[in-house]
Amino acid sequence: MGNQKSYRSAFIIITTLFFLWGFITVLVDSLIPRLRDVFELSYFQAGLVQFAFFGAYFVLSVPAGFILSQIGYKKGIILGLAIMATGCLLFYPASSYRIFGIFLLAYFTLAGGMTILQVAANPYVALLGSEDGAASRLNLSQAFNSLGTAIAPLIGALYLLSDTIKSSEEIAALTGSEKEAYYIAEAETVQTPFIAIAGFIFLLVILFRFTNLPKLMRESPKDGYWKLLQNKMMLMGALGIFVYVGAEVAIGSYLVNYFLDMNIVEAIKNSPIMQSIAESLLNSDLESLDSKAIVGAFVLFYWSGAMIGRFVGAYLTKILSPGKVLSIFAGLAISMILISMNTMGLVAMWSILAVGLFNSIMFPTIFTLALDGLDDLKPQASGLLCTAIVGGALIPPMYGFLTDNIGFKLAFILVILCYGYILYYGWMKNKKKASVN
């Protein structure tokens, strides 16, 4: 009974971390259209922002797994939070000096801290109870991750996208004092939310410093990574994480630009219901807002769909085979993308936003399916699986490159291929489970 209570308390505390990194990940997405205007980037160059952010997972996940095995979950979490706070503070000089390279360094540092948290928190939640309930527990924790991702677009629309950014020609036409005032205002727009986040993270560091967490770390075998690299199903799961994160981030990163490309703003303004929704979300008259803020507010539904789906998924993966649920959701995601590709206006907008609902259970379900039966190899497997999050660094620039050359809609073929693999992986795991039973 005492063990159950201890596990429950630890589950609640760790779940706050899922909320935090979900919020920050999507706030990064909100900055992409702004940085594209500020630095006059192509879609491919804008995708490099995600390359810096998710590239940290590729570089640091395996080292994070090693660090975790040396210092334990609790100290690993504190280290990850401290590095995240440092990354947030780097946004201050980056926005003050308007240097794109410092922005990329800030993203990389922030993601480095989040990498350590991911490597620690995902297997930790999986271990807080029976193996059969691991997918359900991780889906529930990830639901709060999605709560953070649902709130972030509104914060991004209100604080990062609400004003109109001047072009280099317009800036050149300003007087010296006007230019200085413009740069200061631009810097403050980015600085304020990230300094506030850094302060919140430091409070979490203090909380975790004085919190007792169950010690579930077991010593990993010295040849653990070699054994894992010979495990076909674990490697298939790692590829599933790679394509899932890449597809989700590719869609989320370019939603604002996709909607602007289809001139969705006019469709919103011409629909009394849609206009009312937008004004309620932004608490402002649409005529006073930039187009990016108007369509950016609707990105809320992409990430909030993931939140709703994960609460539902926590139940579905409890009563059904997780592999079967994964295949069904991947198939429905493909259907929504095909509808968006072949329509325009509000139908195209709402169908692509609906993909968020079916994304919901994918990461936690793939993750726990890949860890299934690995026992004392789980910490090292978590490091390898989190390395696969680098898909978020590689697939969005590929999608951006395709968009630059063939347009948004045809570029979705790349994303469909990603979901097609996830459907196959879920089917394989379900088939294997059925044959064992």
Side-chain angles (χ1 to χ4, degrees):
M1 190 65 152
N3 223 24
Q4 285 290 96
K5 187 177 179 182
S6 173
Y7 282 5
R8 194 179 303 115
S9 299
F11 178 81
I12 292 168
I13 293 167
I14 296 298
T15 297
T16 62
L17 298 179
F18 284 81
F19 171 86
L20 179 68
W21 78 60
F23 179 85
I24 292 175
T25 301
V26 178
L27 202 64
V28 167
D29 289 343
S30 297
L31 263 181
I32 288 178
R34 185 176 193 88
L35 292 178
R36 189 170 178 269
D37 285 345
V38 168
F39 296 103
E40 298 178 324
L41 307 174
S42 69
Y43 287 119
F44 173 71
Q45 289 171 315
L48 292 178
V49 174
Q50 296 292 12
F51 182 83
F53 190 79
F54 288 95
Y57 284 93
F58 179 74
V59 174
L60 299 173
S61 287
V62 171
F66 173 76
I67 291 168
L68 200 65
S69 67
Q70 300 300 308
I71 65 176
Y73 287 113
K74 181 177 175 177
K75 289 181 180 177
I77 287 168
I78 291 172
L79 176 64
L81 287 170
I83 294 172
M84 282 177 66
T86 302
C88 287
L89 292 175
L90 280 173
F91 281 96
Y92 192 95
S95 53
S96 292
Y97 296 107
R98 292 167 65 89
I99 298 174
F100 188 55
I102 301 180
F103 270 109
L104 294 181
L105 176 63
Y107 282 128
F108 185 86
T109 305
L110 179 62
M114 291 171 67
T115 300
I116 295 173
L117 288 184
Q118 288 262 30
V119 172
N122 284 300
Y124 191 72
V125 168
L127 289 167
L128 288 171
S130 69
E131 190 159 79
D132 287 344
S136 179
R137 280 194 304 279
L138 197 51
N139 266 296
L140 187 55
S141 283
Q142 290 280 356
F144 286 91
N145 174 275
S146 296
L147 178 60
T149 64
I151 294 170
L154 274 184
I155 302 297
L158 287 170
Y159 292 99
L160 300 177
L161 300 176
S162 58
D163 63 325
T164 302
I165 297 168
K166 297 181 184 298
S167 66
S168 54
E169 291 82 6
E170 290 172 322
I171 293 172
L174 298 175
T175 64
S177 59
E178 287 173 337
K179 193 179 293 185
E180 185 178 351
Y182 173 72
Y183 284 150
I184 290 171
E186 281 295 294
E188 288 177 349
T189 300
V190 174
Q191 288 166 351
T192 302
F194 282 96
I195 288 174
I197 291 167
F200 177 69
I201 292 172
F202 279 123
L203 288 176
L204 283 178
V205 169
I206 295 169
L207 171 67
F208 276 93
R209 174 67 182 81
F210 296 102
T211 298
N212 289 321
L213 296 177
K215 293 182 180 179
L216 302 175
M217 182 73 70
R218 288 184 287 183
E219 188 175 347
S220 300
K222 287 186 169 56
D223 61 346
Y225 285 116
W226 175 247
K227 287 180 179 177
L228 290 170
L229 291 173
Q230 295 176 306
N231 187 313
K232 179 185 174 184
M233 295 310 291
M234 199 288 301
L235 292 177
M236 286 183 67
L239 180 57
I241 294 288
F242 179 92
V243 296
Y244 162 70
V245 176
E248 182 192 47
V249 173
I251 294 173
S253 298
Y254 292 102
L255 276 178
V256 170
N257 296 115
Y258 177 48
F259 295 159
L260 291 175
D261 184 69
M262 291 192 294
N263 198 21
I264 293 293
V265 174
E266 286 305 308
I268 292 170
K269 289 181 176 178
N270 291 333
S271 168
I273 295 174
M274 295 296 292
Q275 187 171 344
S276 176
I277 292 172
E279 289 177 346
S280 297
L281 291 172
L282 296 168
N283 195 29
S284 180
D285 179 71
L286 297 192
E287 297 305 321
S288 65
L289 294 171
D290 186 77
S291 296
K292 292 188 296 301
I294 295 171
V295 296
F298 284 89
V299 177
L300 163 75
F301 294 99
Y302 179 72
W303 299 109
S304 59
M307 176 184 65
I308 294 166
R310 278 174 178 162
F311 280 115
V312 174
Y315 173 72
L316 289 178
T317 51
K318 212 170 188 176
I319 63 170
L320 298 173
S321 160
K324 181 183 290 187
V325 177
L326 181 64
S327 290
I328 292 169
F329 274 49
L332 290 170
I334 292 170
S335 300
M336 292 300 104
I337 296 168
L338 288 171
I339 291 171
S340 190
M341 286 175 68
N342 291 285
T343 56
M344 293 294 291
L346 297 179
V347 173
M349 183 185 85
W350 283 112
S351 55
I352 200 67
L353 290 175
V355 175
L357 177 66
F358 303 115
N359 277 340
S360 57
I361 58 100
M362 292 186 187
F363 183 91
T365 305
I366 295 169
F367 203 96
T368 50
L369 286 174
L371 290 179
D372 189 26
L374 294 180
D375 299 323
D376 55 354
L377 292 173
K378 282 181 179 177
Q380 290 165 305
S382 177
L384 290 175
L385 291 171
C386 287
T387 301
I389 293 174
V390 72
L394 300 179
I395 292 176
M398 290 167 62
Y399 179 80
F401 177 79
L402 290 174
T403 298
D404 286 332
N405 289 279
I406 61 176
F408 282 102
K409 290 186 179 291
L410 282 177
F412 277 133
I413 292 171
L414 173 65
V415 181
I416 287 175
L417 291 174
C418 293
Y419 287 116
Y421 175 78
I422 294 167
L423 190 156
Y424 172 72
Y425 177 69
W427 176 78
M428 282 284 292
K429 289 295 289 188
N430 184 56
K431 182 181 175 186
K432 185 176 180 183
K433 184 179 176 67
S435 65
V436 170
N437 293 339

